């Protein structure tokens, strides 16, 4: 058996670099194909809109067009009557071709369908599209964020950030917190106690991080602090990569009480003195409670100099009735498109 020549010393590093470059090229190629597909679909939709307005095209013309395009391009999918109607709706929802080319073309076609089916407001569609691009959301994550009303909840926690933090950190910190937080993925009842909730959040830390939002990194649960020989335990500790600071989260199973902030402030001081490095910003505290009176929360934060926020959490929450009736679920969309799912791929 012939001997295998030894590999050069730098072979492994070179191979890893090649894999990275090949993967990057594949991603760029996929993005380029998607971009052209989205632009093509928008152009087709715009043409259909124009001809319908000018010549009074009806549904039968769409069906004939779908048949003719399929016959002309048998190897190209995406020309079902349903998808052509989506193209028309896409062009109608986004009349600004420059915006489609520069922004929306970064999102796959399935994302475009979710924006069209789940949202009725152009401003909301723009906001969710921008967030999907910024955070590289999958289609399923995008739908989840829409259905849990992220736009309405983001930046709604009661905080003292404008007074306790300098700009622009205060703005970023405010936008990093929500109210309320939805923990219905835990499968717990409204009667669950603090330790039960805390344990479940760590068990489902991936979903928890998704609900917290971009930038949060999990540090630990029941983090030990030793102060003057006494031991104290922080419910949950995170580090925010964009804010460059620790985030202490304390859970309260009942209603908010002003004295809760004293305990939270003590933890912030201990973290700042014992764990924070010279490069970190001041630690932020988030008190999550089952209920809170907004006026009481604002008064309680009025004289606090440490950055803190107060928000509610929901263990069980369903969509509003009007949302349930007016918007189909993603499963309903997929069932409706059962015959055309493959058609919507490049």
């Amino acid at each position: 058996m012939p001997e295998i020549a030894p590999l050069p010393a730098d072979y492994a590093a070179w191979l890893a670099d090649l894999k990275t470059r090949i993967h990057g090229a594949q991603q760029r190629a996929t993005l380029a194909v998607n971009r052209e597909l989205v632009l093509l679909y928008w152009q087709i939709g715009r043409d259909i809109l124009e001809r319908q307005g000018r010549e009074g095209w009806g549904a039968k013309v769409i069906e004939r067009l779908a048949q003719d395009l399929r016959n002309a391009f048998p190897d190209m999918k995406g020309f079902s009557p349903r998808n052509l109607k989506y193209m028309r709706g896409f062009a109608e929802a986004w009349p600004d071709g420059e915006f489609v080319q520069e922004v929306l073309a970064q999102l796959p076609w399935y994302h475009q369908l979710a924006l069209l089916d789940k949202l009725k407001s152009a401003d909301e569609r723009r906001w969710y599209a921008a967030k999907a691009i910024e955070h590289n959301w999958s289609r399923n994550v995008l739908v989840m964020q829409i259905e849990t009303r992220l736009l309405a909840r983001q930046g709604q926690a009661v905080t003292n950030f404008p007074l306790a933090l300098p700009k622009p950190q205060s703005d970023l910190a405010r936008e990093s917190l929500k109210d309320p937080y939805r923990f219905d993925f835990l499968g717990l009842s409204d009667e669950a106690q603090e330790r039960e909730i805390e344990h479940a959040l760590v068990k489902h830390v991936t979903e928890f991080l998704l609900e917290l939002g971009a930038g949060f990194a999990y540090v630990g649960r029941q983090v030990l602090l030793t102060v003057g020989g006494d031991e104290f335990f922080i419910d949950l500790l995170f580090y925010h990569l964009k804010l460059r600071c620790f985030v202490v989260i304390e859970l309260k199973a009942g209603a908010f009480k002003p004295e809760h902030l004293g305990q939270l402030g003590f933890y912030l001081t201990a973290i700042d003195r014992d764990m924070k490095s010279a490069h970190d910003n001041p630690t932020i505290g988030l008190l999550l409670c089952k209920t809170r009176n907004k006026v009481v929360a604002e008064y309680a934060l009025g004289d606090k100099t440490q950055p803190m926020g107060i928000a509610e959490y929901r263990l069980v929450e369903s969509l509003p009735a009007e949302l349930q009736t007016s918007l189909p679920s993603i499963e309903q969309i997929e069932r409706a498109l059962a015959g055309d799912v493959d058609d919507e791929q490049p």
Side-chain angles (χ1 to χ4, degrees), residues 3-239:
E3 293 185 4
I4 300 176
L7 295 173
D10 63 345
Y11 177 81
W14 176 64
L15 178 60
D17 179 62
L18 279 182
K19 289 179 179 178
T20 300
R21 280 188 275 167
I22 292 170
H23 182 62
Q26 289 175 326
Q27 285 185 319
R28 289 191 295 273
T30 300
L31 290 173
V33 170
N34 172 76
R35 178 182 180 82
E36 292 302 317
L37 180 73
V38 170
L39 291 175
L40 173 65
Y41 282 0
W42 181 83
Q43 291 164 357
I44 292 174
R46 179 195 58 189
D47 289 351
I48 292 173
L49 273 176
E50 290 178 351
R51 281 164 173 73
Q52 282 185 324
R54 187 173 64 243
E55 302 171 17
W57 276 17
K60 291 185 178 179
V61 178
I62 298 292
E63 292 175 5
R64 174 60 186 269
L65 178 63
Q67 179 182 340
D68 288 341
L69 288 175
R70 280 173 155 172
N71 291 338
F73 304 97
D75 296 328
M76 187 174 180
K77 300 174 181 178
F79 294 135
S80 66
R82 183 180 296 275
N83 211 33
L84 288 175
K85 291 175 184 176
Y86 267 123
M87 295 177 203
R88 179 189 61 194
F90 181 53
E92 188 174 26
W94 305 104
D96 185 352
E98 185 175 345
F99 180 78
V100 173
Q101 183 172 0
E102 295 181 359
V103 179
L104 286 182
Q106 299 177 63
L107 291 173
W109 182 239
Y110 270 142
H111 287 59
Q112 313 291 353
L113 299 187
L115 292 170
L116 288 175
D117 281 318
K118 291 288 184 180
L119 299 165
K120 303 305 179 186
S121 161
D123 289 339
E124 288 183 331
R125 286 172 177 160
R126 282 177 179 268
W127 191 89
Y128 282 102
K131 291 297 180 182
I133 294 168
E134 179 184 356
H135 301 304
N136 196 28
W137 287 342
S138 68
R139 193 268 309 258
N140 287 339
V141 170
L142 170 62
V143 169
M144 183 273 291
Q145 300 287 22
I146 293 172
E147 291 182 343
T148 59
R149 293 168 286 154
L150 175 62
L151 175 58
R153 295 185 297 130
Q154 186 162 320
Q156 296 304 307
V158 179
T159 76
N160 64 350
F161 293 160
L163 298 176
L165 294 172
K167 283 184 173 292
Q169 189 188 16
S170 60
D171 293 335
L172 179 57
R174 182 180 58 81
E175 287 301 315
S176 297
L177 301 188
K178 307 171 185 174
D179 186 40
Y181 284 84
R182 297 180 70 256
F183 297 157
D184 49 359
F185 58 84
L186 299 179
L188 300 176
S189 70
D190 274 339
E191 288 71 37
Q193 296 302 302
E194 291 164 19
R195 290 294 168 262
E196 186 181 0
I197 298 169
E198 177 189 311
H199 174 75
L201 287 174
V202 174
K203 185 178 179 181
H204 299 272
V205 69
T206 300
E207 292 90 342
F208 185 26
L209 287 170
L210 184 60
E211 173 62 8
L212 286 176
F216 283 88
Y218 176 65
V219 176
R221 170 198 177 201
Q222 288 297 301
V223 177
L224 172 64
L225 295 175
T226 303
V227 179
D230 291 343
E231 293 184 345
F232 303 88
F233 297 89
I234 294 175
D235 286 348
L236 295 161
L237 183 62
F238 292 82
Y239 189 87

Side-chain angles (χ1 to χ4, degrees), residues 130 213 324 342:
Q324 292 177 338
D342 290 338

Side-chain angles (χ1 to χ4, degrees), residues 251-268:
L251 289 165
K252 299 298 176 185
F256 166 73
K257 297 179 180 179
E259 53 264 34
H260 293 156
L261 295 183
Q263 179 188 29
L264 182 60
F266 173 78
Y267 291 154
L268 299 188

